[in-house]
Every structure is written in structure tokens, then in C-alpha cells.
Amino acid sequence: MPVSREIHLVERPKAMPTPDQFALVETQVGDAPDGGVLVQNLYMSVDPAMRPRLTAGQALGEAMMGGALGRVVQSKSDKFAVGDLVSNRMGFREYFTSDGQGLTKLAADPDLSLTVYMHALGMTGFTAYGGLLHIGQLKDGEQVFVSTAAGAVGSVAAQIAKIKGCYVVGSTGAADKAAWLKDEVGLDAVINYKDAPIRQALEAATPKGIDVYFDNVGGDHLEAALRRMNTLGRIPVCGFISGYNSGHSNVSNLSNIIYSRVMLRGFVGTDFMHLYGDFQRDMAGWLKAGKVKYQETILDGIANAPTALIGLLNGANSGKMLVKLAD
């Protein structure tokens, strides 16, 4: 029976989380149950959407939940064999047992890095794919704005829009990320919102307005985008980074939704699961062809999981934030 380390939330943050609000706890994990498996997690995902659950949803004194990729190390199941790779929601821990519910077997493509299944070819990539094409109803050649365009979701959304022949503007808050978006990804315009007010910068970067704004931020980015939306524009709302720590984000011009007949709709990845097969086919092809590029920030060891989460919320990552738990 292995000893597993896991991360507990011990105090709810009122603003930006701090390291002392988390605890590293050792626990004894039993053998695989009858009909079940024992899994060792290899990588865990760190995502902005984890922040709201720290305020409400995540129990105190229990292992935190999050996306992870693991390997079956003991099996008493006829559905899983030792060595099978499985995606799961049991992140923030090194080992766990399962009756098989909530595990998805992964047939990894040997031509792709295993870590891409944690972002571009995983749920973050799928969120961008469905959010842009299904919720945003993107049409070829449209005018597109993506906030946090260097992030795990935003970077994929921006690149899909480029693949569809769109004029794409991205925003980010760091010079190195802006350079990557411009020079490596090939966006038409990139805004560093820390160098120039987003309202004026977006106006200059979108001479033909915006047909689709893929919103990861809310707040001043949403307000700036609403000023530039074309008639019958669409705003798929993926995230609310500007308000995750404060709990609120002000937008003063929501009336523009009426006058420009803009569709603004929040969504989650499970809203369009019928597209998952198309996504896997398209994204694998784009990755192999070099049409979708990515960055990763990988911290080593479960003890660094709180650091990874706090760093992500502070924008310290480039691309997808991951924690490596085992080889």
C-alpha cells in the first residue's frame, strides 16, 4: 500500500490565495478494490477555474480536486489493465483508488507529447474549440478578439481562429508572451494591456470591429470589446479572471448588447460533448502539422501545487500550468 501526498485547503482565501492556506498531507492508500484500480497520477492540471472553488465548493481538510493524468499500477478490474493511462479529476494527490467511475482510458498518440493531453488535446483545448466554433458560431474570415491569448485556452482559441482565416487580435500582460503571440503564433495584432489602456489599444487594433470576442477576463476587457462589437456579434464567455479574487468585476456599457444585438453567453466544456470526436481529430491533425503551437510551465512535485496555482493566478505561467508528479 503506497503512501500518497496530497494538498488540502485549510483556510478560505478572501483575495489572492497564500501558501499558508494549503497543507501538504501524507495518507496511506489501500490496494485496488474489487472491480477497481489503484492509480498513480503523473501530471496534474492547474486552472484559473480552481480559484472560485476555494471560496465555495472545495471542502476544507480534504484533498483538492482537479484534472490529472495517471497510470494504473494495480487492477482488479476487467476494464483497466496495469499500465493503462487514465484521465481523471483526482488531481492534487499522488495516488488514489477508484471503482472505475470518472476514469477515461487514454490511447496516447506516440507522435505527440503526453502533456498535450493535459491542454491542447485535453479539456482546455476542447473548451476553446467548442467555445469558439459552437458557442461563438465563428465564420471563416471574421474579426476576432481573444483575451489572455497566451493562456492554455486563449492560445488555442486564437490559433483556431487563424486556421479559419480570421483577423485575430490577442491580449496579454507580459512582453515575452506578446512576442510569442506575434512572432510564433502569428496573430495579426497583440495588445500588452500593461503597456497601454485596453480600450484605446483595442480600438486601434480592430479597424473593422469585432465579430467574435472570446472572453476569458470580463471587467475592462469586456467593456472595451463591447464598444467594438459589430452588429450581431457573439461573445462566448469562458472565464472571469478579473473577478476571481475580488468576487466582482464592473462593466458599465452592457447596454451595447442591445444596440448591437450582441449574443453574450457563458459556457462550460460539457455543453458540447457531441463535438469531442471532431475536436480530437482536428486538434491532433493541427498539432502534428504545426498549425497549433503551445507553451507549458511545469513545476515538479506535489509540494509545488499551491505555488503553481498562486503563480497561475498572478500570471507567472507561459501557456499551460502543470505539476509533474511522477515519471
Side-chain angles (χ1 to χ4, degrees):
M1 295 190 299
V3 172
S4 177
R5 294 179 297 169
E6 55 191 40
I7 300 296
H8 291 193
L9 180 68
V10 295
E11 179 185 334
R12 298 202 184 281
K14 293 182 173 59
M16 181 66 71
T18 56
D20 59 298
Q21 293 170 330
F22 303 90
L24 179 66
V25 177
E26 285 193 357
T27 183
Q28 196 80 33
V29 178
D31 290 333
D34 290 341
V37 293
L38 172 65
V39 176
Q40 180 184 24
N41 274 332
L42 306 178
Y43 290 94
M44 54 166 281
S45 175
V46 183
D47 303 289
M50 292 176 173
R51 175 58 186 88
R53 295 201 293 272
L54 302 183
T55 300
Q58 172 62 50
L60 297 177
E62 295 182 6
M64 292 175 57
M65 306 298 286
L69 180 64
R71 180 187 295 119
V72 175
V73 294
Q74 185 185 40
S75 178
K76 297 179 182 178
S77 167
D78 56 6
K79 297 180 180 178
F80 299 95
V82 171
D84 281 350
L85 295 172
V86 290
S87 59
N88 62 83
R89 295 292 304 167
M90 303 293 283
F92 287 87
R93 75 195 82 198
E94 294 174 313
Y95 290 87
F96 67 93
T97 58
S98 171
D99 62 3
Q101 296 295 315
L103 302 184
T104 301
K105 192 182 300 186
L106 173 66
D109 190 319
D111 294 328
L112 295 171
S113 167
L114 188 61
T115 55
V116 299
Y117 291 92
M118 300 293 290
H119 49 88
L121 202 44
M123 186 52 69
T124 50
F126 184 53
T127 298
Y129 182 93
L132 190 65
L133 301 181
H134 180 69
I135 305 297
Q137 295 293 301
L138 182 72
K139 302 178 183 64
D140 291 1
E142 289 195 309
Q143 309 292 304
V144 177
F145 172 45
V146 180
S147 52
T148 61
V153 175
S155 63
V156 174
Q159 291 179 85
I160 292 173
K162 285 302 298 178
I163 290 169
K164 298 298 182 180
C166 297
Y167 175 88
V168 184
V169 178
S171 72
T172 186
D176 59 334
K177 296 178 184 180
W180 181 74
L181 289 169
K182 187 67 175 176
D183 300 335
E184 298 294 326
V185 175
L187 298 194
D188 298 283
V190 179
I191 297 167
N192 184 340
Y193 60 82
K194 293 185 178 178
D195 285 347
I198 185 63
R199 174 175 163 178
Q200 291 91 325
L202 187 60
E203 184 170 358
T206 56
K208 295 183 179 180
I210 300 170
D211 297 305
V212 177
Y213 168 40
F214 194 97
D215 187 14
N216 290 301
V217 174
D220 59 351
H221 277 62
L222 177 56
E223 183 162 313
L226 282 170
R227 290 175 48 83
R228 303 296 300 153
M229 294 304 296
N230 293 329
T231 301
L232 299 179
R234 288 87 66 202
I235 303 178
V237 181
C238 179
F240 194 58
I241 293 173
S242 66
Y244 280 158
N245 286 309
S246 66
H248 61 84
S249 183
N250 295 326
V251 179
S252 64
N253 60 343
L254 288 174
S255 60
N256 286 28
I257 295 171
I258 301 169
Y259 302 130
S260 295
R261 279 84 82 197
V262 172
M263 185 280 290
L264 188 150
R265 176 178 164 186
F267 69 93
V268 294
T270 52
D271 291 344
F272 33 76
M273 290 305 297
H274 62 286
L275 297 178
Y276 196 69
D278 293 340
F279 159 72
Q280 288 184 308
R281 180 199 64 233
D282 290 343
M283 185 56 64
W286 293 335
L287 286 165
K288 290 179 181 180
K291 293 183 178 181
V292 171
K293 299 176 172 62
Y294 59 87
Q295 293 181 300
E296 300 172 330
T297 300
I298 304 177
L299 275 61
D300 191 49
I302 187 70
N304 278 317
T307 300
L309 178 55
I310 294 168
L312 175 76
L313 296 173
N314 279 306
N317 61 301
S318 294
K320 180 64 180 179
M321 178 68 87
L322 297 171
V323 177
K324 183 178 180 180
L325 304 180
D327 292 318

